[in-house]
Amino acid sequence: MTEISSTPLTSTAGVRLTDRSIGDDLEAGTSSWITLPTPASTRALRSTQRERVDWADDLPLSQEFTVDGPLCAVHADLTGRLFEDVAFALEVLTDEGRLVGSRVVEGPQHIWDRHLHFVELDPPAPAGRYLLRLTRRRGAVGWYTGSSDRDSTDDGISPLQITGIARIGGERVEGLRCMAAETIAAANPTFSRDFDVNDDFTSAFLAGVVLGNGRISLNGTLIGDELLEPAPTVYSKRVLYRTWDITGLLRVGSNSLSIEAGRGMFAARGANIWGWHVSPWHAEPMANVLVQWQNSDGVRGIGTDASWRAAPGATEQETLYGGEISVSVGDSRPERPAVEIVGPRGVLQRSPLQPTRETGRLQPVSSTVVGSRTTYDFGAVITGKVLLDIQGPPGGMVTVRYGEYLSIDGEATVENALVAGVSQLDAHRFDVQDSVTGWSARFGYRGFRWIDVETSGGASASIPTAVSMHTDVERRGWFDCDDPILAWADAAFGRTLLNNLQGIPTDTPVYEKNGWTADAMVATEAALHSFDITDLWIKWLQDHEDSQADSGEIPQIVPTPGFGEAADPAWSGSSVLIPWQVYWETGDIEVLRRFAPMVEGYADSLIAIAGEGIWPIRSWGDWLSPGHQIPPEGTAPTATLMMIAVLQHAASIMDLVDRPDAATRFSGAAQRTASNYHSVYFDARVGHYAVPGVGYRQTLNVLPLVLGIVPDEHRGSVAAGLADDVEHRTGGHLDAGAIGARYLPFALSSIGRDDLAVRVLTTTSAPGWGAWFAQDELTMKESWDADARSRNHYFLGGALSWVYQRVGGMRAGAPGWSVIDLDPIDDARLTRGALRHRTPRGEASFSWSRTATALSFDIDVPAGSVARLAEGVDVLEFGPGRHSHRRDTP
């Protein structure tokens, strides 16, 4: 766009360059977005405009399409009736009718979504003309169909438009089937520019962003210690950038600036059920960078524009879930001028959160050699990558496979049916003799405990070093007690949470990498105790707002490439509950004011869908209760209860931001929805909530108790039913999924059964934390079952908030910790507990210990706060400072 190296940006000699001013210039468009266009043969194809559904009856449905490069996978946007038993086949055929790939789906379907159903082609099929055919065998299955998404003009960087004929049987019909086709992506690009600085300078800054992520170097030195910048966003709404002080790197005379671009989630490739490889904003990697320096004439600088050079980089292939393939080729990569483009639609915004950084290094605790493969064990499940020194002759290869599990053959393994291809496999190929120090994946992260390193063709590799990485949040809370399982759960939750902080709170760093909304929703209260996640969570709430539809609905993963767009109060209720929890932790009313429009729109969208009755559409419900994905009671009860929770919190938020009309509307809707829940699910014969034909279900009764919606005349029987179930039917175990497990201890405390809460959380047999503790796990698993997929999933740790408040004995009694309530548990199995927390007012701490004759308390209250401790019918208050107190026991 603008060549600015030869003339000052301003004619005023007194202008002062700062990191703020250069950011303002970047946002104003002083520099341009640049990219390296790629051939059509290397880009995906898509057709996503839904206008109607064609239903497959006795005749198959089909869509012709043409690909210019190797075909790896094909998706069809199908729909049907939830939980109906269906059977159908997707087949990919050549123009001559030869079958090259197929997939058969049978059984009840609990979800239908845009890219959920795909056919993987391994090996890839050659370029050519193909037919994707849907054949129904039983049940109802339909195929979304529409018109062309846009004109067929090829901009050289975006997914291509599907073209071809749609048919029912042999008869042509109007429109295009909604589908996508994946090919083999082009190499990641590099960009470079040489420039001169003619005079002495006093300061220099760089502002910029590389999408999906990247590395910027000046004169051969990497700028900054951030990894995988920028954090994922809804790129069509917002793109984050950073600034760096480069005064010590810039020099008078000649300088060289270089950029290595990665794909990340903006330019992701590799077929997956969420559709990251064909997202609405998808384009080839690109960069927008501005360098400025201050001298006596004013401010001078250079920005990315068409004068930059571009070339394919050393990363020959990068897929979001698969990994990276890099190559040593010498200096033979052809350069060409970079191309200026408009760039993503999202506004440029200075990054408001801590970056992802390297947070530690681990050496292997053991290794096993089998032929050319060496398996290394790092002793704990982490998120990051490994570093290796490698060397090899032409034809040599080094591969690294990452896994959270070992196969029966002792190999690191990942089985991921949600994506095409092999997951978590990085490789380096030597086309020339070369050695690489500190080789690793550059543009992604892996979840692993074990890795397999395999060499071939004369290549060799050093002993690896594991690098852990996550968003660089500070510790804010500490917990201790004398029960080993509770102490373990605190530590495991912390490790697992950090492993999943990657610019968004992910659900798993291996299998999905998505910002599933319920995962963070159920864990936020515990997470806010342990870590300073406020900036990250507020950024993620902005992603929620950027994802909100005109209807007010917010999707189930945030950001989303188009998956799970419908509202689900059991999941995207995060848009209401998390702002409330952040406000309660910080006391900052501006958080509520900022997100009040989002909260109101979302709450209204739930009412528009459900009225004030039972939730009528798909939900994840109480996901992953023991032995189940969808629980026996179905998803409607939990979704309805979480809608009530959302409406209650929305009413409180509206009241605090001076919206009494909305507060009244949501409060009334919550009460009427609760009344309808009671009418539908309360079984007067047994005195608790139940679904006909299904045995006792804890979550159906836990949430009404916690939400305070059980009519007074029935509270006693509902409480007795829950206590009886925990004591007798489950033998002291939970029987709930992610939602119910988070609230179960609170429900038990609310009915005076702290003892049962402790029993549930400390039992050593499955299901429960104690089973993981007994298995020597160091992180939390995805489900309570023995075959849990992920060993790096924090959402079943949501009940730690109860542990901190009741065993630690301290909680915020008012927003921002202006009031601190002290209420330690009275249970003979626990003889001491302690909690320390950095509140907005300073550090608060509380510790207690039990002897045969007394309870002793040590209390530290920060300035501006008051602590309250119940003493019989009285309440003792403690002002700022340190205090000790003793309570004699009978």
Side-chain angles (χ1 to χ4, degrees):
M1 178 185 287
T2 307
E3 168 55 51
I4 56 177
S5 62
S6 59
T7 58
L9 292 176
T10 174
S11 59
T12 305
V15 169
R16 180 171 176 267
L17 173 66
T18 66
D19 69 337
R20 178 61 60 183
S21 68
I22 191 175
D24 292 344
D25 285 342
L26 184 79
E27 293 177 24
T30 303
S31 53
S32 299
W33 286 99
I34 60 172
T35 191
L36 176 62
T38 61
S41 59
T42 64
R43 281 178 277 133
L45 299 90
R46 66 187 177 195
S47 174
T48 58
Q49 189 68 40
R50 292 172 166 177
E51 293 178 355
R52 70 175 192 267
V53 175
D54 286 350
W55 293 93
D57 294 319
D58 296 331
L59 298 175
L61 308 180
S62 63
Q63 174 67 52
E64 296 175 358
F65 65 100
T66 301
V67 291
D68 295 329
L71 179 63
C72 303
V74 187
H75 302 252
D77 186 359
L78 306 180
T79 187
R81 301 185 184 96
L82 291 177
F83 305 109
E84 180 181 86
D85 183 31
V86 298
F88 61 87
L90 280 173
E91 299 169 304
V92 181
L93 302 100
T94 67
D95 201 30
E96 297 80 23
R98 181 172 58 88
L99 182 69
V100 295
S102 65
R103 183 169 193 165
V104 175
V105 176
E106 292 189 273
Q109 304 296 297
H110 72 81
I111 181 173
W112 299 87
D113 219 301
R114 287 185 181 273
H115 305 289
L116 185 70
H117 298 99
F118 68 87
V119 178
E120 180 178 358
L121 304 179
D122 184 20
R129 188 179 182 87
Y130 292 92
L131 182 79
L132 179 60
R133 184 171 67 193
L134 167 66
T135 304
R136 182 190 71 89
R137 297 176 181 173
R138 67 174 181 271
V141 58
W143 196 342
Y144 282 104
T145 305
S147 59
S148 175
D149 291 322
R150 53 183 171 82
D151 64 49
S152 59
T153 303
D154 182 4
D155 63 6
I157 61 173
S158 301
L160 300 164
Q161 173 67 46
I162 292 282
T163 59
I165 297 172
R167 298 183 187 277
I168 298 178
E171 182 179 346
R172 179 173 181 169
V173 295
E174 291 297 317
L176 289 168
R177 307 288 186 206
C178 295
M179 59 171 291
E182 177 63 311
T183 62
I184 298 176
N188 290 4
T190 62
F191 308 101
S192 60
R193 173 73 148 79
D194 298 329
F195 62 98
D196 293 330
V197 175
N198 298 322
D199 302 308
D200 288 339
F201 57 90
T202 57
S203 62
F205 289 90
L206 182 147
V209 56
V210 186
L211 291 178
N213 56 52
R215 297 149 48 101
I216 306 173
S217 298
L218 178 59
N219 298 322
T221 299
L222 190 65
I223 295 174
D225 61 355
E226 299 88 352
L227 301 172
L228 307 184
E229 282 288 303
T233 56
V234 181
Y235 301 102
S236 56
K237 296 290 184 68
R238 200 171 311 274
V239 175
L240 304 181
Y241 71 88
R242 290 196 185 272
T243 62
W244 296 268
D245 187 332
I246 57 168
T247 306
L249 298 178
L250 192 67
R251 58 197 181 204
V252 175
S254 62
N255 292 267
S256 180
L257 193 61
S258 62
I259 299 170
E260 299 172 86
R263 293 188 171 274
M265 301 185 101
F266 172 79
R269 294 301 296 271
N272 59 88
I273 68 167
W274 308 281
W276 287 106
H277 55 306
V278 286
S279 64
W281 53 71
H282 194 286
E284 288 297 294
M286 58 186 66
N288 189 346
V289 172
L290 179 62
V291 174
Q292 293 179 344
W293 57 92
Q294 179 99 52
N295 61 21
S296 58
D297 292 333
V299 176
R300 296 179 181 268
I302 66 160
T304 42
D305 59 19
S307 69
W308 282 60
R309 302 183 302 275
T315 302
E316 192 173 76
Q317 187 174 344
E318 177 199 347
T319 60
L320 182 60
Y321 300 96
E324 300 173 26
I325 300 174
S326 57
V327 59
S328 292
V329 297
D331 298 322
S332 61
R333 297 182 186 90
E335 290 188 333
R336 55 187 280 195
V339 174
E340 289 188 26
I341 54 173
V342 174
R345 296 197 308 271
V347 298
L348 283 167
Q349 176 184 309
R350 185 182 298 267
S351 184
L353 74 156
Q354 308 94 321
T356 294
R357 288 192 172 99
E358 176 183 325
T359 55
R361 296 195 173 191
L362 294 174
Q363 298 302 315
V365 297
S366 67
S367 62
T368 304
V369 179
V370 178
S372 62
R373 185 193 84 232
T374 304
T375 300
Y376 295 94
D377 179 4
F378 290 95
V381 174
I382 68 168
T383 298
K385 57 186 180 180
V386 297
L387 301 175
L388 292 157
D389 296 337
I390 60 175
Q391 58 183 353
M397 177 82 78
V398 176
T399 63
V400 178
R401 185 191 301 270
Y402 297 79
E404 293 179 351
Y405 289 94
L406 286 179
S407 71
I408 59 174
D409 297 323
E411 297 177 302
T413 184
V414 174
E415 296 181 7
N416 192 355
L418 307 180
V419 306
V422 177
S423 294
Q424 297 207 135
L425 178 66
D426 295 327
H428 186 84
R429 187 182 75 248
F430 295 93
D431 287 356
V432 298
Q433 178 74 42
D434 196 12
S435 60
V436 183
T437 301
W439 173 79
S440 71
R442 293 192 171 188
F443 304 112
Y445 58 85
R446 319 285 177 250
F448 64 100
R449 172 175 169 175
W450 291 272
I451 67 166
D452 291 340
V453 178
E454 190 157 0
T455 59
S456 61
S460 62
S462 66
I463 296 173
T465 296
V467 175
S468 63
M469 52 195 286
H470 57 73
T471 303
D472 193 13
V473 297
E474 293 184 355
R475 191 88 197 185
R476 187 158 65 183
W478 295 263
F479 166 78
D480 186 33
C481 76
D482 60 334
D483 183 88
I485 293 175
L486 298 182
W488 171 89
D490 168 58
F493 173 75
R495 282 188 288 266
T496 312
L497 177 70
L498 291 177
N499 283 339
N500 280 281
L501 300 186
Q502 305 293 335
I504 57 174
T506 68
D507 61 327
T508 155
V510 177
Y511 300 93
E512 302 194 35
K513 302 180 187 286
N514 289 316
W516 281 101
T517 46
D519 293 48
M521 179 181 71
V522 299
T524 287
E525 191 173 26
L528 283 167
H529 158 77
S530 298
F531 299 100
D532 185 7
I533 58 169
T534 303
D535 289 344
L536 172 57
W537 254 234
I538 288 176
K539 176 266 176 192
W540 193 50
L541 287 172
Q542 181 66 66
D543 296 336
H544 279 65
E545 188 173 61
D546 289 344
S547 301
Q548 190 165 32
D550 292 341
S551 65
E553 294 179 70
I554 290 174
Q556 298 146 33
I557 61 173
V558 172
T560 180
F563 180 93
E565 294 172 304
D568 178 356
W571 245 243
S572 49
S574 56
S575 56
V576 178
L577 271 62
I578 289 180
W580 178 262
Q581 290 166 341
V582 172
Y583 161 68
W584 198 262
E585 169 64 31
T586 64
D588 185 0
I589 191 68
E590 293 306 315
V591 172
L592 300 185
R593 291 197 178 103
R594 175 177 175 179
F595 294 112
M598 174 184 74
V599 167
E600 182 175 14
Y602 182 74
D604 277 331
S605 78
L606 301 187
I607 295 172
I609 292 169
E612 295 168 348
I614 303 305
W615 186 252
I617 64 173
R618 187 191 180 279
S619 169
W620 294 97
D622 195 28
W623 182 246
L624 295 180
S625 63
H628 306 278
Q629 288 187 331
I630 299 296
E633 69 269 22
T635 62
T638 297
T640 304
L641 290 164
M642 291 307 295
M643 176 176 169
I644 295 166
V646 166
L647 293 172
Q648 288 177 340
H649 284 81
S652 297
I653 291 170
M654 292 298 108
D655 184 60
L656 287 169
V657 299
D658 300 320
R659 287 291 314 282
D661 55 332
T664 299
R665 183 168 79 251
F666 296 143
S667 177
Q671 293 170 13
R672 290 185 290 273
T673 305
S675 178
N676 283 323
Y677 177 86
H678 182 81
S679 296
V680 171
Y681 292 113
F682 187 74
D683 187 338
R685 296 171 303 164
V686 293
H688 60 247
Y689 297 99
V691 169
V694 177
Y696 187 91
R697 302 301 299 165
Q698 290 178 359
T699 302
L700 269 67
N701 295 276
V702 162
L703 289 176
L705 288 167
V706 171
L707 297 174
I709 63 171
V710 182
D712 290 344
E713 64 270 26
H714 299 300
R715 184 173 177 83
S717 67
V718 172
L722 178 61
D724 182 73
D725 185 76
V726 172
E727 279 190 291
H728 300 113
R729 183 181 70 88
T730 68
H733 291 86
L734 58 82
D735 187 16
I739 304 296
R742 186 259 191 265
Y743 293 105
L744 175 60
F746 288 95
L748 292 169
S749 287
S750 75
I751 63 173
R753 295 306 302 268
D754 282 341
D755 61 313
L756 287 181
V758 172
R759 183 179 174 187
V760 165
L761 296 179
T762 60
T763 186
T764 57
S765 57
W769 294 340
W772 299 341
F773 170 77
Q775 295 163 6
D776 294 324
E777 297 287 347
L778 295 178
T779 47
M780 291 189 162
K781 292 186 175 183
E782 183 176 10
S783 74
W784 303 115
D785 300 332
D787 61 351
R789 177 185 62 164
S790 171
R791 301 173 77 176
N792 213 351
H793 220 98
Y794 63 84
F795 76 159
L796 293 180
L800 262 301
S801 55
W802 181 91
V803 174
Y804 300 146
Q805 295 171 24
R806 297 295 291 125
V807 181
M810 181 174 74
R811 67 180 180 88
W817 294 83
S818 59
V819 176
I820 301 171
D821 284 336
L822 309 175
D823 186 19
I825 193 168
D826 185 9
D827 191 299
R829 291 167 291 184
L830 297 165
T831 62
R832 62 177 177 83
L835 195 72
R836 183 161 59 97
H837 185 71
R838 290 177 182 164
T839 80
R841 300 164 183 265
E843 187 168 292
S845 65
F846 177 65
S847 63
W848 60 272
S849 61
R850 180 194 311 277
T851 66
T853 58
L855 280 170
S856 298
F857 308 103
D858 289 313
I859 307 161
D860 197 349
V861 182
S865 296
V866 60
R868 305 182 301 197
L869 174 67
E871 190 78 4
V873 296
D874 298 324
V875 175
L876 304 180
E877 292 193 352
F878 303 89
R882 294 185 176 179
H883 311 272
S884 295
H885 181 69
R886 175 186 170 93
R887 178 189 299 165
D888 292 331
T889 57

